[in-house]
Amino acid sequence: MRKLFIPAFLISTLAAPLSQAQNWSESKNGTIVTVTNKGGQTLGYATTSGVKLIIDKGLAFKDLNKNGKLDAYEDWRLPVAVRAKDLASQMSVEQIAGLMLYSKHQPIPSAPAGPFAGTYGGKVFAESGAKPTDLSDQQKEFLTKDNVRHVLVTSVQSPAVAAGWNNNAQALVEGLGLGIPANNSSDPRHGTRADAEYNAGAGGTISMWPGSLGLAATFNPDVVKQFGHIAATEYRALGIATALSPQIDLATDPRWYRFSGTFGEDPKLTTDLARAYIDGFQTSTGSNEIKDGWGYTSVNAMVKHWPGGGSGEAGRDAHYGYGKYAVYPGNNFATHFLPFTEGAFKLAGKTSMASAVMPYYTISLGQDKKNGENVGNSYNKYIITDLLRTKYGYNGVVCTDWNITADETAVDVFLTGKSWGVEKLSVAERHYKILMAGADQFGGNNDATPVIAAYQMGVKDLGEKAMRTRMEQSAVRLLTNIFRVGLFENPYLNAETTAGIVGKPAFMDAGYQAQLKSVVMLKNKGNALPLTKGKTVYIPKRFTPAGRNFLGMNTPEKLEYPVNLAIVKKYFTVTDNPDEADYALAFIRSPDSGGGYSSADAKAGGNGYVPISLQYGDYTAQGTRNPSLGGGDPLEKFTNRSYDGKTNKTINSSDLTMVTETYAKMKGKPVIVAVQMSNPTIFSEFDKQSNAILAHFSVQDQALMDILTGVVEPSGLLPMQMPADMKTVEAQAEDVPRDMKCYVDSEGNTYDFAFGLNWKGVIHDSRTATYKKDTQKAKLASK
């Protein structure tokens, strides 16, 4: 049958007999037209984009490149592989270069100042008269001039605003060039607001779940898979089609700054939870499925960070120059692959494999067995091509972590370039090296110029045909992830539908139930818990000194109640007088001593390196590694990063003071301590001043109240070990899981991996039988 080209605006005026012959229908909502194909895919396009319809065999297709014919990439009946290859072949080098970019962080609306600032008609949002759904000047520029199609969305004013902004962005890019839609993405956004009250009948801005360690503490892959499915449904309603998660690094060093974003330190547990998480995010079912498990509720999972970043020397993190080296004193490099090779790349669901991978910033020191290069993982051909691509058969998208091609300006600044090991190369040369290593995409870069320059370098070295083939190879991988979630057919949202999906009551309830399952009871001396409702409790205020957050931004000093008293008063009477109280409830955070570097020490003539402490009291490192395994930075005149003999203070040492003072004030009456944990903690400092201890990983205050009062029995298990002392921490190998001597409390319980209590005592169930095995078996399996 001859293909028929029909301008969209004429469709409604066609004669009835011809209209009845078509297997499609359309409706309009504002500037968005929805076309329903009977037995086929639903299309959406903006009247402002200039797109028209092509009718073939009674079905409708979008003429995205506006050439009046049905191209293979526009034909939703064809396999994704065919469509992606056809489109890549039509793209210019400049268009492919833009596709290979991943934008810097984009708040909606844009911030007035700071690293993520933006303007609207040259003015900050509040002074511009713009709508929160409008695109900023910077967003318009990188979408049009630089052909960016992957946008990292951070904060949004509301779900409805997110939907409106998505529609505006999609309408803009739909009218450009080949009509490639935007693949918007997000870092994890389902964390809790601790002070938010849960109401089973009320929705929220988005469903709230425990942090990654909290999901791990459930030891339940089904809970994690449920989270993935619900989160993906909410993401798609927000216009987000790629998740920059899960973070499945094995947190084998207890001091690591990013420990809280992981599933803990155990290879088997992390592997099983990684598989469940990705299956939940990527799998569409029923009418939502397009093909092979992919569909309208699927979200591409960008699993991170290959080949594992949890073994930074002394726990230092590679977001900073002082933490660029991952070390392997236990010769345990391959164990860190397991969550990827046995989990993310061997899914139980039909999508088969995580669609994208992000390498970490780190230099995996001494692990390049082919070329001997010590460069950041995204620059290392052995790690990306020889291991990831060839040995383990991964052919999805590899996207660098953010800002790795920019210049380093200071070893202790978060918002600086992270070109570890290739600092002497130009920005364009860094892009070229990444391409030749086997990666496809550049995180945090809105500018196509260095990618085009890298292409020209490849033409000079390899010839135009070979370099064009290399660029198209990445383009096909990137386009595949956009095609199979249905964005080419319909990237548009209905704001009312979005508002009804995101944070709906059923999703909020599922998140709350997961929070309850994630709380770990570590101690319950004399059955101090559960507490009786209606009794009188004393809650000391928590002091937080002034400091700097992860981004290096200053934070003010605070003295405040650490919980929402309005929620607590629904369970107890609250008093400021310990003498009147039946119990004391102390809410603290795990120790925070910073990232392991002191600018004051450096200015005083030291090397700047200090220990990372997991205890509240001052800690002096004795007999630690000297010299360091890793070292060397263009901004440093030395290579020995040892901190032997140096002392470091904990930022929140007042948390310990709060507990000990409360214990004294209560004069023998029960003191209950709830610890919000980001890292393993030395419990010896306050164990004996506590009748009961709860460990949690970012849950709502109400969840803690329900556990404390016996509404729900605690069932969480530790997803990591609690060290006996700092000597144990210093002695463990950064790359080896579960290799520490664990703390034994006053009741004789050992705070080991998979330990937890319920009302009857130590939990022994199918979860502990499955996971509480010696991790050496996992090590052997990896070799």
Side-chain angles (χ1 to χ4, degrees):
M1 179 178 179
R2 183 174 64 87
K3 296 180 178 67
L4 180 64
F5 173 65
I6 302 178
F9 69 89
L10 291 178
I11 288 174
S12 60
T13 65
L14 292 174
L18 180 58
S19 177
Q20 293 170 3
Q22 307 306 312
N23 292 316
W24 53 268
S25 60
E26 69 170 357
S27 59
K28 186 177 179 182
N29 182 8
T31 61
I32 307 301
V33 178
T34 301
V35 180
T36 303
N37 283 295
K38 186 176 180 181
Q41 289 201 37
T42 298
L43 313 181
Y45 67 92
T47 56
T48 57
S49 71
V51 163
K52 299 178 176 60
L53 295 180
I54 292 176
I55 307 304
D56 181 48
K57 298 181 180 178
L59 297 170
F61 304 84
K62 291 160 67 173
D63 184 22
L64 290 166
N65 61 6
K66 307 174 185 65
N67 66 354
K69 67 177 184 178
L70 182 61
D71 292 88
Y73 86 90
E74 298 165 338
D75 190 342
W76 45 259
R77 297 166 299 190
L78 295 176
V80 164
V82 173
R83 300 179 70 188
K85 187 175 181 180
D86 175 65
L87 179 51
S89 70
Q90 295 190 40
M91 296 176 72
S92 67
V93 169
E94 290 74 17
Q95 289 170 328
I96 294 177
L99 189 67
M100 298 174 86
L101 302 177
Y102 224 121
S103 84
K104 298 176 182 179
H105 299 66
Q106 301 296 313
I108 300 171
S110 291
F116 311 128
T119 56
Y120 298 79
K123 299 179 180 180
V124 297
F125 175 74
E127 300 172 359
S128 67
K131 300 175 182 177
T133 55
D134 288 346
L135 303 182
S136 70
D137 299 333
Q138 292 75 20
Q139 290 161 359
K140 291 176 182 176
E141 180 177 8
F142 69 63
L143 290 171
T144 55
K145 174 178 171 288
D146 294 289
N147 296 298
V148 172
R149 292 297 178 270
H150 293 81
V151 182
L152 174 54
V153 175
T154 55
S155 60
V156 294
Q157 191 176 92
S158 70
V161 166
W165 181 90
N166 169 80
N167 289 353
N168 286 334
Q170 299 292 4
L172 174 63
V173 297
E174 187 176 68
L176 301 173
L178 297 163
I180 299 171
N183 182 358
N184 302 324
S185 70
S186 173
D187 281 312
R189 59 193 314 118
H190 281 83
T192 59
R193 269 189 49 228
D195 63 347
E197 184 172 4
Y198 170 70
N199 181 327
T205 302
I206 198 166
S207 62
M208 292 188 286
W209 297 72
S212 295
L213 279 177
L215 290 173
T218 71
F219 276 62
N220 189 333
D222 289 338
V223 169
V224 176
K225 184 176 180 180
Q226 180 192 37
F227 163 72
H229 174 69
I230 289 174
T233 302
E234 293 180 309
Y235 273 22
R236 290 304 299 269
L238 293 167
I240 294 166
T242 293
L244 302 187
S245 61
Q247 184 188 339
I248 61 173
D249 310 80
L250 293 180
T252 48
D253 191 283
R255 300 162 290 189
W256 189 34
Y257 215 60
R258 299 201 68 183
F259 200 115
S260 64
T262 73
F263 292 136
E265 64 179 307
D266 185 69
K268 178 172 174 52
L269 179 64
T270 298
T271 296
D272 289 350
L273 298 186
R275 186 184 304 113
Y277 186 111
I278 299 164
D279 271 332
F281 263 91
Q282 292 191 169
T283 305
S284 291
T285 59
S287 61
N288 287 317
E289 182 180 3
I290 298 173
K291 187 174 177 58
D292 298 328
W294 292 100
Y296 305 115
T297 56
S298 296
V299 171
N300 293 287
M302 184 179 290
V303 63
K304 55 189 187 184
H305 305 89
W306 174 262
S311 62
E313 185 164 20
R316 296 186 292 266
D317 183 68
H319 278 84
Y320 304 87
Y322 61 67
K324 64 170 67 173
Y325 295 102
V327 296
Y328 302 88
N331 194 30
N332 214 40
F333 187 47
T335 296
H336 289 254
F337 305 167
L338 293 175
F340 299 89
T341 60
E342 302 304 310
F345 304 162
K346 291 184 179 178
L347 302 180
K350 292 164 69 175
T351 64
S352 180
M353 184 179 290
S355 67
V357 170
M358 181 188 295
Y360 203 40
Y361 295 114
T362 46
I363 295 170
S364 297
L365 190 64
Q367 301 309 308
D368 183 343
K369 306 304 182 185
K370 187 173 182 180
N371 305 306
E373 273 200 306
N374 285 312
V375 294
N377 292 313
S378 291
Y379 291 99
N380 193 300
K381 189 172 183 179
Y382 173 77
I383 286 173
I384 303 302
T385 293
D386 295 346
L387 286 180
L388 180 61
R389 296 269 192 221
T390 303
K391 183 173 182 178
Y392 295 109
Y394 185 75
N395 196 38
V397 167
V398 174
C399 177
T400 76
D401 213 328
W402 262 232
N403 212 25
I404 76 164
T405 57
D407 292 329
E408 180 186 20
T409 57
V411 296
D412 61 342
V413 172
F414 179 85
L415 293 173
T416 187
K418 309 171 201 306
S419 50
W420 310 145
V422 295
E423 293 92 344
K424 294 181 180 179
L425 297 182
S426 69
V427 171
E429 288 170 337
R430 293 169 194 160
H431 284 75
Y432 182 46
K433 186 171 178 63
I434 288 169
L435 284 176
M436 293 301 100
D440 305 294
Q441 198 165 28
F442 305 95
N445 180 11
N446 300 349
D447 182 7
T449 303
V451 185
I452 297 169
Y455 170 78
Q456 296 297 339
M457 291 177 187
V459 170
K460 184 176 180 181
D461 289 348
L462 308 172
E464 186 170 3
K465 182 178 180 181
M467 197 57 195
R468 171 76 199 192
T469 299
R470 172 65 191 90
M471 296 286 279
E472 285 191 28
Q473 181 185 47
S474 287
V476 167
R477 291 174 182 146
L478 291 159
L479 293 168
T480 294
N481 291 353
I482 306 176
F483 274 114
R484 58 190 176 189
V485 297
L487 289 176
F488 272 89
E489 276 57 67
N490 186 17
Y492 295 98
L493 302 170
N494 180 293
E496 291 183 5
T497 301
T498 290
I501 291 174
V502 180
K504 72 179 184 179
F507 292 172
M508 298 297 290
D509 180 64
Y512 188 73
Q513 297 307 315
Q515 291 180 50
L516 294 171
K517 291 182 176 74
S518 74
V519 178
V520 183
M521 184 164 68
L522 295 175
K523 183 178 181 178
N524 194 19
K525 181 180 180 180
N527 294 319
L529 298 179
L531 304 177
T532 302
K533 284 186 177 181
K535 293 284 189 175
T536 301
V537 299
Y538 167 65
I539 301 175
K541 290 183 178 180
R542 182 169 60 206
F543 173 72
T544 304
R548 296 169 66 188
N549 64 17
F550 192 62
L551 293 174
M553 301 168 69
N554 291 328
T555 56
E557 175 185 298
K558 291 185 293 184
L559 178 64
E560 60 188 359
Y561 284 108
V563 288
N564 184 337
L565 290 187
I567 291 175
V568 177
K569 288 177 180 178
K570 294 189 176 184
Y571 295 80
F572 303 106
T573 298
V574 179
T575 181
D576 286 330
N577 184 354
D579 292 334
E580 298 175 353
D582 298 299
Y583 327 111
L585 304 180
F587 298 89
I588 64 177
R589 296 191 177 103
S590 53
D592 179 3
S593 66
Y597 186 87
S598 167
S599 56
D601 178 83
K603 289 177 182 177
N607 66 359
Y609 292 86
V610 294
I612 297 175
S613 176
L614 300 181
Q615 66 183 39
Y616 293 98
D618 294 356
Y619 168 63
T620 300
Q622 297 293 339
T624 56
R625 183 183 294 143
N626 191 5
S628 61
L629 295 177
D633 187 281
L635 301 180
E636 295 177 338
K637 298 179 180 179
F638 54 85
T639 58
N640 186 4
R641 294 179 162 191
S642 176
Y643 50 83
D644 191 27
K646 291 186 179 180
T647 298
N648 200 7
K649 296 178 179 295
T650 303
I651 297 167
N652 59 329
S653 59
S654 55
D655 280 9
L656 176 62
T657 305
M658 179 216 297
V659 174
T660 55
E661 289 182 350
T662 299
Y663 178 76
K665 291 175 182 177
M666 290 301 290
K667 302 172 183 176
K669 291 181 287 187
V671 176
I672 316 301
V673 179
V675 190
Q676 180 179 337
M677 303 200 71
S678 299
N679 290 80
T681 295
I682 307 298
F683 278 86
S684 59
E685 293 176 298
F686 62 91
D687 166 30
K688 293 180 181 179
Q689 288 76 40
S690 310
N691 295 82
I693 301 174
L694 297 181
H696 71 96
F697 311 94
S698 300
V699 300
Q700 292 171 256
D701 295 339
Q702 188 170 345
L704 293 178
M705 295 300 114
D706 280 346
I707 295 287
L708 288 170
T709 58
V711 175
V712 175
E713 185 173 24
S715 62
L717 303 171
L718 285 177
M720 70 282 214
Q721 295 180 316
M722 296 298 128
D725 48 39
M726 280 305 298
K727 183 178 180 181
T728 297
V729 172
E730 297 286 3
Q732 58 88 41
E734 285 94 336
D735 59 321
V736 179
R738 294 170 58 182
D739 64 339
M740 292 192 294
K741 176 185 176 183
C742 297
Y743 179 69
V744 180
D745 71 9
S746 64
E747 305 306 291
N749 288 316
T750 302
Y751 293 2
D752 202 349
F753 172 80
F755 169 75
L757 301 173
N758 56 23
W759 303 141
K760 299 180 183 68
V762 179
I763 296 173
H764 297 287
D765 58 17
S766 60
R767 298 173 300 161
T768 58
T770 299
Y771 293 106
K772 200 171 185 176
K773 298 175 182 177
D774 194 320
T775 192
Q776 296 303 317
K777 294 181 179 179
K779 287 174 64 179
L780 292 172
S782 72
K783 296 181 178 179

